[in-house]
Amino acid sequence: MPGAGFLRLTDAIYETYIGVSMTIVWAGLSLGAVYALVALCLNITLSNTGIFNFAQPHFLMLGGFVGFELQSRWGMPLLLILIVCGILGGFVGYLEERLAIRPLGTHRGHAVLVTTVGFAVALEGAIIVYWSTDPYPFKLMASTQALDLLGGRVLPVDLVLIVLAISVMALLVLAQRTKWGLAGTAATLDSDVARLRGINVERVTTGAFIAAGALAAALGPVVGSKIGINHTIGNNLVVLTFAALAVGGFGSYVGCVLGGLITGLLQLATTYAFGDEWPLIILLAFLLAVLLLRPTGILGARSLRSV
Amino acid sequence: MILPDSTNNHTYWKVNMSTRNRFTALVASAVAGSLILAGCGGGTGSASSDDDTVDVLVLTPMSGPLVTLGDTAIAGLTAAAKVINEEGGILGRDVKLTFEDNRFDPMTAQNILQEALTSDDRPDMVFSGVTSTETVAIMPLLTQYKVLSMGSAASPLATDPEKYPYGFSMFPRAVDYEGAMAKFLSEKGLTKVAAIISDSETGKAAQDALTSQGEEYGVEFEFEKLDAESVDATSELSRLMRNEPQALLLEGLTSGAPMTVVLDGKDKLGWDIPTFFGMTDAVSGIQNATEEQIRGTVLQGAAFGIKGSDRQQDDDFKIFQEAVDAELPTKDYQLSNHALSYSALMVLRAGAEKADSLEAPEVAEAIESLKTDEDIPGWFQTVNPGFADDQHQGTWAPEDFEFVELGFPGYDPTSGLYLPAEN
């Protein structure tokens, strides 16, 4: 019967292309969610202090290692792992601000690039000393069964990452509208004027580093169960997260997620379409195109301030 | 299944690996070149200052991402040295091992070697490393100083007799194990096979060998490469799915994410396809896999490394197994990895005693004439090792490999053996 043949044909097309494509979309979104989460953490210090903290992905790496330790050796439950990682990350964030930022004074210039990179190296060194350079397999979630969702298949951990990226973004957008968030924005735009208006800029800066450190470290175990744990995660994440931020727009939390998801999707879709030698080239070409058309990124600040 | 080679631990974000590899090779070559120049005045000849012992310098990862692989080399060499010394040593002299940590880093390996070769106590033999990454970098220096070397590098680049006449590897040739794989697949009636291979020297050697051997046995392979630290293989697997292959082969996938990533990717795609693990996949990938992912898969391994194999009745194997068990009760890598370093000292003994010398040219020439297992006391890996003047890796025949359907668990870390389904 022609009708049955047509149905078989449409089934075949669905199975071959749409089903597979949706699975790649989920995988791309999941990878993009990793970039988005790191970008969100980076954006906390960026939008509240104007500092691009190169050590931020290393907090995530630290959280991954600590989470692995707490799970494998101490058998700690997930919630407690996340809390402990968050507290530790907050403390290390505080240390970074006191050791690598505060001594530079109010007119830091490009010195923060050097000191935050230095802190990243120190953090990585400490991790190597304690955990060595061995990679660790890490599964935070017991279930590894793929789920059928919207015509594709997705692993539970992938789904958690996507939901987490959107949830964290929403929380940060709300936080930006609080007194603390507004103070951070004011301090970033002009710290001298902010001081005149009674804002304690130093406290805002310290708070931003503590919050970003705590969030990144708490996310470490979740991200680690997707990408594994090893001492190179921090450096590896910096490059593509920077690309995600540039695409989405520096300073915008929604832009972080948008840029991250686009980066992840583009990476896996181009691998599928052209093979594994092309994604980075295409990604960089896309980044250049975005920056040429919108130098501030898709959702970055839309006007430049003239002084 | 023997250790994967040339893992790279620096980026999992699908960076253009070939460009990076070329850059690494360039840097390594430049350093090697400068060290050779620096060593030009250092003289040649491999005579050790200590005539009471046969001095073996062991360069192996004792820290870093391949530290557990380094442990297999240390255990295999220590076990072999004890067996040899109990049997009277080499030319009446005890084997003395000196271990140095090359950190799986070519430049570190070169620095250590340079220091050792310019010292008064030059080694009689160097164990050159557990992967091609560190081994290839030091081969020019070893050749310059005419020092005999053995290792377990998989890449033919490390064992080219024309360039490195004193260098040998115990690792089977890719053309041998992939030839056996192609033959096996062909006998199963498979003509179109998808292969996920590691983006490494091992993967490249496997791809070349599978292509050539596939043509001989009528099996067409389609390849996708996977970086050692890739975190998602959905796209690569989807590309392979498009041509509707009859089976999927995994080759050279390392102990980090890739094996799990591929098996998880298969699950995500719901791709129910006969799956084969190749000779160079890491055992930890099988250990970390779920029962559903392992059941029904077929593994290629060294015959002596499969539980229940007739080859385990070989007396030399029994001595080896007992000696290694004493050194390393729990094995993170399959027993065939320990056999590589163990066999290196057995080959050294056979070559030195045949040449009645420890001078590299004489010993190397003697090793090239070792054809059968009777020529090498303690050898059990293959029926006939088959070294030759144009062949510095052992020859493995199809019967030296076995293909088994894995059980669950598929590996026993105490014995270091793979467990077939019936066990």
Side-chain angles (χ1 to χ4, degrees), chain B residues 65-88:
Chain B
L66 291 187
V67 64
T68 46
L69 179 61
D71 289 344
T72 70
I74 292 169
L77 287 161
T78 307
K82 284 184 179 173
V83 169
I84 288 171
N85 291 343
E86 279 173 14
E87 292 174 357

Side-chain angles (χ1 to χ4, degrees), chain B residues 47-363:
Chain B
S48 165
S49 65
D50 186 352
D51 288 339
D52 297 332
T53 55
V54 176
D55 295 333
V56 177
L57 173 65
V58 180
L59 301 177
T60 190
M62 295 163 77
S63 62
L66 291 187
V67 64
T68 46
L69 179 61
D71 289 344
T72 70
I74 292 169
L77 287 161
T78 307
K82 284 184 179 173
V83 169
I84 288 171
N85 291 343
E86 279 173 14
E87 292 174 357
I90 297 174
L91 298 172
R93 291 151 60 174
D94 275 356
V95 175
K96 182 180 146 196
L97 303 172
T98 304
F99 297 99
E100 291 284 353
D101 181 8
N102 67 16
R103 298 185 218 158
F104 184 51
D105 173 32
M107 291 178 81
T108 304
Q110 286 168 340
N111 291 337
I112 296 168
L113 185 63
Q114 176 77 5
E115 193 177 331
L117 295 183
T118 52
S119 73
D120 294 335
D121 193 15
R122 195 179 297 174
D124 296 297
M125 189 196 99
V126 171
F127 184 81
S128 49
V130 292
T131 76
S132 305
T133 302
E134 332 104 273
T135 307
V136 170
I138 61 171
M139 291 311 291
L141 205 55
L142 288 163
T143 307
Q144 170 75 18
Y145 279 86
K146 291 188 179 172
V147 174
L148 190 74
S149 69
M150 299 205 195
S152 49
S155 171
L157 291 174
T159 53
D160 181 348
E162 285 192 15
K163 283 187 185 170
Y164 313 124
Y166 319 117
F168 293 84
S169 173
M170 299 301 111
F171 201 92
R173 298 181 307 168
V175 72
D176 288 343
Y177 57 79
E178 300 304 7
M181 174 61 82
K183 182 170 181 277
F184 176 77
L185 294 172
S186 174
E187 287 168 357
K188 291 284 172 194
L190 301 170
T191 56
K192 197 172 172 184
V193 175
I196 288 269
I197 56 167
S198 62
D199 192 355
S200 66
E201 283 296 333
T202 304
K204 187 174 178 302
Q207 181 171 356
D208 292 345
L210 282 169
T211 304
S212 64
Q213 296 299 302
E215 282 173 13
E216 190 173 330
Y217 290 103
V219 183
E220 183 190 344
F221 289 96
E222 186 185 357
F223 300 95
E224 283 293 328
K225 288 179 187 169
L226 206 59
D227 188 291
E229 296 184 12
S230 291
V231 295
D232 198 297
T234 316
S235 296
E236 287 85 351
L237 288 168
S238 301
R239 284 172 62 81
L240 292 171
M241 281 176 79
R242 291 191 293 204
N243 287 335
E244 299 179 355
Q246 298 162 304
L248 176 67
L249 168 65
L250 279 58
E251 188 66 274
L253 299 186
T254 58
S255 55
M259 178 84 87
T260 309
V261 157
V262 172
L263 296 174
D264 284 351
K266 260 184 74 190
D267 288 349
K268 274 197 277 188
L269 292 164
W271 197 14
D272 187 16
I273 185 170
T275 302
F276 297 84
F277 295 127
M279 188 73 185
T280 58
D281 289 323
V283 71
S284 58
I286 289 165
Q287 284 181 291
N288 291 333
T290 63
E291 183 167 2
E292 292 75 26
Q293 290 172 332
I294 288 297
R295 286 277 181 207
T297 58
V298 173
L299 172 138
Q300 177 189 24
F304 66 83
I306 312 287
K307 189 174 182 183
S309 165
D310 293 343
R311 301 290 278 275
Q312 288 160 8
Q313 301 310 312
D314 185 320
D315 288 339
D316 287 328
F317 173 81
K318 289 176 182 171
I319 294 169
F320 154 74
Q321 190 176 31
E322 191 180 331
V324 168
D325 281 350
E327 298 301 322
L328 206 59
T330 302
K331 297 164 190 72
D332 292 326
Y333 282 93
Q334 206 262 347
L335 203 56
S336 53
N337 287 291
H338 309 73
L340 297 173
S341 52
Y342 181 92
S343 300
L345 284 193
M346 297 300 159
V347 171
L348 170 67
R349 175 173 67 175
E353 299 206 329
K354 185 165 187 177
D356 195 22
S357 166
L358 279 167
E359 292 298 321
E362 283 87 344
V363 179

